[in-house]
Amino acid sequence: MGQAMPRPALRPFLPADTPVLAAIFAASVEELTVEDYNEAQQQAWISAVDDEAAFGQRLSSQLTLIATLQSSPVGFASLKGADLIDLLYVHPSAALQGVASLLCDALEKLAAARGAKQLTVEASDNAEPFFAKRGYVATQRNTVTLNGEWLANTTMQKTLADAAAAGAKS
């Protein structure tokens, strides 16, 4: 019989985490988006972490959480303002182990605590099914340019006040 999988834990971002999060970002794009984006698109996307100082500043300017397995970072997510999931990346070795769900659950709770009525995400094509399963609804298809490459994504939104609204109606 196999061992139980370790459970992921969450902790806040520290500036010293920037290099490992940049590596998670790059590995995630490189390995998990192969079916949806070509190599040139992936490289343009990965270039977002080429300037680690700027990437670290982006993470520091938002509410960024890190998911760890046995104390090692395996994923991260950030909430920009009260109602926008800006980043959500999981290392390929930890994919499909509940890491993204744990991060998303936490951001949804934090957004609600910040007074957000809905949460928005610009979901990549490979992330869209994940968000759809969580109740996010596609509102708009987008094309963005990164380093001369066109990448598609979808704006998706989830209403966070459903439970409160349902309770108020009864």
Side-chain angles (χ1 to χ4, degrees):
M1 210 151 124
Q3 293 182 335
M5 294 292 290
R7 298 194 37 87
L10 293 177
R11 68 170 177 79
F13 166 77
L14 301 170
D17 295 317
T18 301
V20 72
L21 298 191
I24 289 169
F25 180 104
S28 177
V29 172
E30 200 168 77
E31 295 184 39
L32 301 177
T33 68
V34 173
E35 293 181 19
D36 298 298
Y37 300 94
N38 67 40
E39 189 175 341
Q41 290 171 317
Q42 289 176 312
Q43 291 310 310
W45 190 350
I46 291 169
S47 72
V49 296
D50 285 350
D51 182 342
E52 273 190 13
F55 183 62
Q57 183 56 44
R58 180 177 179 184
L59 296 170
S60 293
S61 71
Q62 301 176 16
L63 192 160
T64 302
L65 297 176
I66 296 176
T68 62
L69 281 172
Q70 299 176 323
S71 301
S72 296
V74 293
F76 66 97
S78 68
L79 185 66
K80 186 175 185 178
D83 61 359
L84 177 68
I85 296 175
D86 185 39
L87 301 165
L88 176 57
Y89 290 86
V90 175
H91 193 277
S93 67
L96 304 174
Q97 293 182 36
V99 174
S101 293
L102 180 69
L103 287 162
C104 205
D105 287 344
L107 290 188
E108 288 172 5
K109 288 176 184 156
L110 289 164
R114 289 180 165 193
K117 301 292 183 223
Q118 64 183 12
L119 200 49
T120 301
V121 64
E122 304 292 324
S124 62
D125 289 353
N126 61 297
E128 187 177 351
F130 167 80
F131 286 106
K133 284 181 194 169
R134 296 186 61 84
Y136 288 75
V137 177
T139 60
Q140 173 179 313
R141 191 77 172 134
N142 310 300
T143 305
V144 294
T145 307
L146 287 174
N147 288 346
E149 290 293 326
W150 293 91
L151 286 87
N153 69 27
T154 302
T155 301
M156 301 181 81
Q157 294 184 321
K158 178 178 182 176
T159 300
L160 299 177
D162 281 340
K169 290 179 186 173
S170 19

